[in-house]
Structures are given as C-alpha cells and as structure tokens.
Amino acid sequence: MKFGRISRESPDGPIARLVVVEPEKGRVIDLARAAALHAKATFHAGDAAAVRLAQAQFPGSMAQALANGSNLVDAARTVIEGRFGDEASLPIGDVTWLPASDPPVLRDGLTFIGHIKGWHERMGRDVPESMLLIPGFTKNSASTVIGHDAVVPWPGYITEKMDYELELGYVIGRRGSSVRPEEALDYVFGITLYNDFSGRGLQHNELPIGMGSTKSKDFAHAIGPWITTLDEFEDLDAISMEVRVNGETWGKGNSGGKLWTVAELVAYVSLGEIIEPGDVIGSGTMGGGSALELGRQLEPGDVVELEADNIGVLRTTMGQKEEGLWWPTPRQPFM
Amino acid sequence: MKFGRISRESPDGPIARLVVVEPEKGRVIDLARAAALHAKATFHAGDAAAVRLAQAQFPGSMAQALANGSNLVDAARTVIEGRFGDEASLPIGDVTWLPASDPPVLRDGLTFIGHIKGWHERMGRDVPESMLLIPGFTKNSASTVIGHDAVVPWPGYITEKMDYELELGYVIGRRGSSVRPEEALDYVFGITLYNDFSGRGLQHNELPIGMGSTKSKDFAHAIGPWITTLDEFEDLDAISMEVRVNGETWGKGNSGGKLWTVAELVAYVSLGEIIEPGDVIGSGTMGGGSALELGRQLEPGDVVELEADNIGVLRTTMGQKEEGLWWPTPRQPFM
C-alpha cells in the first residue's frame, strides 16, 4: 500500500491531508474524508463527530498518523473499501504533493560501498577505519523537507558543485529505543525516495570541523513522492534505482552492495536514543548516485528525477540562486 | 522572568505544565492554572472554557507556548498578577522538573576559544582552518533531553571517558530563516544551561567518519533548570559559569572569549533553514568546561552541577551503565 501527503485548500488556508496513493488507478484517496463518510454510514456518527474522529485517526501529519499505532494500514483499508474510497478520491495528476513524511528527526546513513569508494576517490580522502567499526549516520535539518514537484531552494552561498544524492528513505512506523537488528524491520513502516542535495565545495570546508555537514546540506531535503509499505518489497538489497537529470540517466543501479544492512542501520540509530513514527533514515547514497562521482554538477533550472522500483519518481526542479544572504567574516588564527 | 516546565499528576497520568519560576519567593506558578482563574474572574469565562483557553495559551510544551507568538512574557505577567499567581503557585522544592524546553531541533555550537584550544590539545589534533571560516555547529538528538534533577542514562557502550560539557543554551522564541546578525538576538527568547554529556572514547572513533557525533553524545542532553529571558542579562560575554562534580569545582569561568558572537551563531544556524520557537542552540563548551581538558572523567553515581549567573543550577546524577545492548560487528576492509 502507498501513503502520501497532499495540500488542499480550506477556509483556514492550505492544509495537509493524508492520502492512499493508487498510481495504477490514477488517483489518490483523501483518508480523513473517506473515514468521515465511513463513520457516518457505519457508526451513525453525526456530521461534526465524524469529521472530528476521522481527523484524529488520519491527521495530515504522517508522523502523527503513524504515532496513532500499528493499525494505520488496516484502518486505511477499512475506510477506503467500496464507495467511500471512490467518493473521497482525487485525480493523481491534479494534486499538490507535500513531503511524504514530516519527520520529527531526519537522519542519513552511509551504507553503500560503491558510493563510499567513489566519494573518497573524488574528494581525495582515505576511507577512515572507523567506517568499518560503526555505521556512520548524520542528523539533517527536518525544517527544510520538500516534496514531489517542488522547486529546490538554492541559497547563494552554495557557489559550486551543487549535487543530488540518490537515496532510499526508511520511514519509521513505531516508537522504539535500543532495538536489536533482528527486530528492527518491525519498526520500519515503509520506504520512500530521499534526495539529499549537497553543495560539495562548502561540504569540503565543513568536514574538517568534525561536527557533520550543516549549510552544505540543510537547504533542502526532498522526500517522496510517497511511502510504499515494507511488505511490498521482496528484497531490500535488490531495489532498482535510477537518477535522471533533464531526462538523461546519470546514475543507475540497485540497493545491493551494503556495508550495513537496513536492520543494522535502524538498530544502530535507535541505540540509546528514540526513533519516532515518521522519522526518516536515509540509506546513504547509492553507488554512482551523486554527480560528484561523475565529475558533474547541477545548474539552476535542472530537473532531477530519482526513481525506484515499487516506489515511483521523485521529481524536483533546481531553483534560482538566492543572493544577498549574510555570510560570516573569517576569523584570525588564535593558536 | 524565568520560565520552566514541570510534571504534574492528572487523571490522564503525568502531564507537562508550563511554569513561571520565582526562586527568590521559593515557588513556581502553574501558568495554565493561573490563566484559567484569571479568565473566569476577568472575562467571566465558564469553567471548561477557561481551562480550554488557558491550555491553548500556556501549553505544557515550551515549543508550543513560544510558537503562540511574541507575547508570552506579557501574557504570563498579566495572569500571575495578584491573587491568581498566588493561588496557582507550588513550593519550588516539591516539583518534578522537565527539560526547560522540548526543542524541535537541538543544535550545539562551538564558540569558546578556550575549549577549542583545550579539546584539540587533549585529543592530539590540529585546529582546522575551517573553524576560522564558518561557525561550527552540530545537530543533536532532541529525543533524549532530560531536565533538572534527572538521572543521566549511561549506555554500556560508553566504556570510558564519560564527560560533561558546561554550556549555555540559547532558546529560540520566534520562527525565522536566514536572519542577519544585527537582528538575531530578537529571535532569542532566553538562556538556559545545557549539559552535552559526551563519551570521549567513542567520539574519537566517530570523528573520522565526518558525519558528526552520534552515539557518543545522543544518550542524554540535560537542559534546565529553567529559562531566563534575555532582558535579564546585561552582557552575554560576561555570564559567570561553573561546573561542580560531587560538590567540587572542576571548572569555572565566564561566557567571554568567543570566536563567534551569540548573534553570529544564531544567524548562521538560521541560514537557509528554519529556526523554530523552542529550538535550543548550545553555546559550545566553555573553556575548561569539560573533564577532558583536565584529564578526568565521570563515574556512575557522580552528581554534576552546572551553574550560571542569572540562571541557576542544573543538577543531574550519572546513572549506572546499562549492559546487554547490541553493538555492531566490525566489517572487513573493502578498498
């Protein structure tokens, strides 16, 4: 089953709505609307009560909807069955997409051996031994998530080597802490696509500080187009993936060749802290899944499409550079 | 004015309540309670309506309360005036403290020259030139924030060199993006204390990966005891600070000697992303504000107190090591 988020007009302005996505039928189903229709017909709920119950069960926040518990799929299936699903459906081509999740925390792993090799060769760095000891991951800013069909903000301080990263996003469906690998996949609700845009020049300056990437990555994180539930994937190491720029294939491969399994990555992320419903954990970039590895870069106006089997296409357009932003003045050495 | 969060019993279990803290009067004032009393007496609101309005205005989440807008201080002053404040007050010694904020995003800067020097000397590393070009900061996990008087979780994989970090926490009061330094302080609601506990052995392994600290820091972030509004500080570079372990002073200094001003740090953090009400940005560790700089470390049961002028004391006790957690098996080299 596929779940997404769209924006709809309301008397309160645009609001987020949770939808079931049926690409094969060319439609999405507004879950709160279907649930209200269902509650009225089935439980004889009053009009206002039906809306209130439906919005509590299927809020526009994916994080809140998943936090309601493990029954999201069953509950959705019940309310969209038959005519309620039909009555609450919208043509898929007409909707405005929001990020597939609104993650409380957005993290990004580093699991594909091919990318680790390619990145270090291009950046002229050795692969540190630590990468063999513990799964690397970083925390990104969840405030700049964007969805399918969005324009990618391009702050003017990213002056060179603008890049995409072709990644899967593992969406957490259940609250947990210090989960073990053998149970970790029970905490994954589904998989989406994640484009972790990166300014490589600035990243090169940020790395030696040792605190992770900040401004080189946190201007935009594309998540979408929607989430496919985990049961629809036969093999997490054999998901075909591709990235196209302006229609031309720049990278193609699959989700195999991992240094750490999905279960190990999720388990490690959860160690001593809390993974929350709606959290997104990036797989890290697929081997060959960045322009850096090709010695290429993005330009304003470029259309970037990530595609993965069983998910779909996450398409975004690079915006124009925003000039006139403040930038810090270098300090004098003190040692 | 000082604002904090406490836990109170209710028929729904423990709930968070926003309080004004008056240490000099030995009391805290439950703001939602005072506001309900005030609404009944002043606006003739019904009992249930008064509670509903009061909870919307003063929710138990500091992030939500600050998101209500820039009038938190004035609104609080109005409802606690006179007998409503008295009637809604609780003895300060009897309350259970929660983290002073529930930050949507928890970041940590690196601004004190003394600590940068001391850390690099002890870790045997050169200060990278990048630190002179851009303000370093990292993103920490907000899921593991703890408050005053809490026991600090100690996962067993932190086997050595457990450390505290004496920091100020700048609490954001207003939503903003790409804020310039000259207006940045308007976005700071107040200052609290922040103890960024750190496992130095593990941190040493994490650093070469270049993605920031993860498990060496994200097991516990103490924030409290409460927030003092910015107007109560005369000089942000002259706040006295001290750290004590089991009553013995291990570090003492003040908030001077910064590589980047508070305004520059906040402005840089906000560049191209969003700072949200309730977000906490750590100042970075004060020079001499970590045990690492002394060649010392913490043990289970140690009581750590951070103190700062105009704020108070943030006291926590190191817990016992939690054993039996999963830990990843090293991988074979692939290059």
Side-chain angles (χ1 to χ4, degrees), chain A residues 35-93:
Chain A
L37 294 171
H38 180 267
K40 280 201 283 188
T42 312
F43 312 130
H44 313 295
D47 284 3
V51 169
R52 194 172 66 240
L53 290 167
Q55 292 187 349
Q57 189 170 23
F58 300 111
S61 156
M62 184 65 71
Q64 287 176 14
L66 289 169
N68 278 347
S70 53
N71 59 345
L72 179 61
V73 170
D74 290 343
R77 198 165 278 143
T78 301
V79 302
I80 68 173
E81 227 166 17
R83 66 185 175 89
F84 307 121
D86 295 339
E87 285 174 34
S89 75
L90 302 163
I92 198 168

Side-chain angles (χ1 to χ4, degrees), chain A residues 89-145:
Chain A
S89 75
L90 302 163
I92 198 168
D94 292 354
V95 304
T96 302
W97 296 96
L98 294 176
S101 186
D102 48 325
V105 183
L106 174 61
R107 303 178 182 85
D108 195 10
L110 185 71
T111 58
F112 291 112
I113 291 172
H115 175 70
I116 299 174
K117 279 185 180 175
W119 190 95
H120 284 82
E121 282 166 10
R122 280 281 169 181
M123 293 294 253
R125 291 167 189 264
D126 290 330
V127 175
E129 203 205 329
S130 292
M131 284 192 189
L132 304 174
L133 297 177
I134 46 179
F137 75 92
T138 193
K139 286 150 279 181
N140 288 329
S141 177
S143 73
T144 48
V145 291

